[in-house]
Amino acid sequence: MTIARYLARIGLVLGLTVTASLAQAWSDEPLILEKEKYFKKLDNPIIGQFNVSFAYSDIKQAGSYKDKWRKLDGKSESAMRVNLKGLSDATMQKITDAAYEDFKTKLESAGVTTQEADLIEGMPKWLVKQYDKVIREGYPERQSHYEAYGAVESKTVPFSGSQVVDMAHPHMVGFSAKELKKEVLSVRYLLHFGYLDPKASKTENDFMNKVSLKTSVSFHPGVQVYWRSGAEIYKSHKKKGSILINKHVGAPGNFGELKLVEESNWGKSYKEVDIAVDEEAYAKLAIDALSQANTLIVNEIADLQ
């Protein structure tokens, strides 16, 4: 059974529609370049961070109102939350490590060799103390760059043998770069399970003295690397360049069964859906999406050499 047919059966199409097509969720994937001059003539850079943040819950809302005061008798509101269930730590680590190896291989094929180095061992005591404050052990929650832009809940997984530097202090690797006198690459991706698209409209008919308000939230299933994921290069904590994805990049496809777990129409239309993930299907789509992102980033790095 397809995702669209399954959701139609459980009644998710009353103002909160779902489609299995990702065509509307993204199109071209241009890049955002910020001080890209620091990527030029890379000399055996260190890959200090390679993290994938796996989204497991997201919510979007849409509202349309008769006037700016948002009166109770003149509004339409819709909301949808989607949760990813059953994705294990082992599968997330496998996906992250595969993406990391793919990134290194593509860089080397483009003529850029890389190295691994401990960013903390051997550093001055003041720097080690600062790292002690910003290192997040294990697979920390809510550490993606997207925290500033939405309500996505995620778990961040570093490549095997490394640790996550707190999202609020990404420049810490820049201090290590300065001490080591080497360029340090930091790659951070947010991997999402789909795209929630809120829409709202307001139509006024002066002749009939009527205002029509409509809202909906559409869900586009599929695994994708989200906007502003990408790579940063540090030569110091102040000298940093960025190559970031400007539109979501991903691979459409089914990766689990969907189940309506909550529905309410009190005040506003609200629905909550769980996706029981098929880990094998998800991993295949995830690795493909991350490979696409790697290709975009590496091709730009190669052009800058």
Side-chain angles (χ1 to χ4, degrees):
M1 179 184 295
T2 65
I3 286 178
R5 288 178 63 188
Y6 181 80
L7 291 172
R9 175 179 289 186
I10 63 176
L12 280 174
V13 293
L14 297 177
L16 288 160
T17 59
V18 179
T19 173
S21 170
L22 287 171
Q24 298 175 18
W26 60 72
S27 53
D28 296 329
E29 300 88 17
L31 297 169
I32 302 169
L33 305 181
E34 298 172 352
K35 296 185 178 179
E36 66 273 19
K37 65 182 181 180
Y38 291 123
F39 280 94
K40 294 182 177 180
K41 298 181 180 179
L42 294 179
D43 180 20
N44 200 24
I46 297 166
I47 301 181
Q49 291 269 288
F50 190 101
N51 302 334
V52 178
S53 296
F54 292 81
Y56 61 81
S57 184
D58 198 2
I59 185 171
K60 287 288 177 65
Q61 304 181 60
S64 182
Y65 309 92
K66 282 188 177 180
D67 58 51
K68 64 181 180 179
W69 305 111
R70 302 189 175 188
K71 294 180 179 179
L72 293 177
D73 60 348
K75 69 176 184 178
S76 173
E77 294 180 326
S78 299
M80 175 186 270
R81 178 179 288 280
V82 182
N83 307 303
L84 189 65
K85 300 288 187 178
L87 186 61
S88 67
D89 288 352
T91 296
M92 290 188 290
Q93 188 67 69
K94 174 184 174 182
I95 292 168
T96 300
D97 289 345
Y100 173 62
E101 293 300 327
D102 177 71
F103 182 76
K104 288 199 303 179
T105 298
K106 286 175 176 173
L107 267 182
E108 290 172 4
S109 295
V112 180
T113 58
T114 61
Q115 61 177 305
E116 294 181 8
D118 195 313
L119 299 182
I120 303 174
E121 187 177 353
M123 292 293 104
K125 289 184 178 180
W126 68 267
L127 185 52
V128 174
K129 288 182 179 179
Q130 290 301 313
Y131 267 114
D132 286 342
K133 298 176 183 177
V134 301
I135 289 294
R136 300 293 172 254
E137 300 290 342
Y139 303 151
E141 305 264 338
R142 305 185 73 89
Q143 281 292 316
S144 85
H145 71 279
Y146 210 74
E147 292 296 316
Y149 305 107
V152 178
E153 296 180 41
S154 64
K155 181 181 284 190
T156 297
V157 179
F159 72 89
S160 291
S162 66
Q163 296 173 307
V164 176
V165 175
D166 188 274
M167 57 164 284
H169 305 277
H171 61 281
M172 283 299 299
V173 300
F175 287 106
S176 294
K178 185 176 181 180
E179 292 293 331
L180 293 166
K181 295 181 174 57
K182 294 295 297 183
E183 302 131 332
V184 176
L185 274 167
S186 178
V187 181
R188 294 184 296 165
Y189 290 137
L190 171 61
L191 195 65
H192 206 292
F193 50 79
Y195 179 70
L196 285 156
D197 184 20
K199 292 183 179 179
S201 65
K202 176 180 178 180
T203 304
E204 299 185 40
N205 188 322
D206 294 334
F207 180 76
M208 299 294 293
N209 192 28
K210 182 179 179 180
V211 178
S212 177
L213 306 174
K214 293 182 180 180
T215 57
S216 67
V217 181
S218 300
F219 177 52
H220 307 262
V223 184
Q224 54 186 318
V225 178
Y226 252 39
W227 174 70
R228 292 195 74 84
S229 295
E232 297 173 330
I233 189 75
Y234 288 86
K235 295 196 172 185
S236 73
H237 65 289
K238 293 182 178 180
K239 294 181 178 180
K240 181 193 78 171
S242 302
I243 300 175
L244 308 175
I245 293 168
N246 196 30
K247 290 194 176 183
H248 307 333
V249 180
N254 297 347
F255 52 87
E257 291 292 326
L258 285 82
K259 180 181 179 181
L260 178 65
V261 295
E262 185 177 343
E263 181 176 10
S264 173
N265 288 297
W266 288 96
K268 67 179 178 182
S269 176
Y270 173 80
K271 298 187 189 295
E272 185 165 350
V273 177
D274 284 352
I275 306 175
V277 68
D278 177 331
E279 290 195 286
E280 185 176 347
Y282 177 91
K284 183 177 180 180
L285 293 170
I287 290 171
D288 183 37
L290 288 163
S291 179
Q292 290 181 48
N294 282 342
T295 297
L296 284 171
I297 300 298
V298 172
N299 284 350
E300 187 61 35
I301 291 175
D303 288 344
L304 290 168
Q305 299 314 299

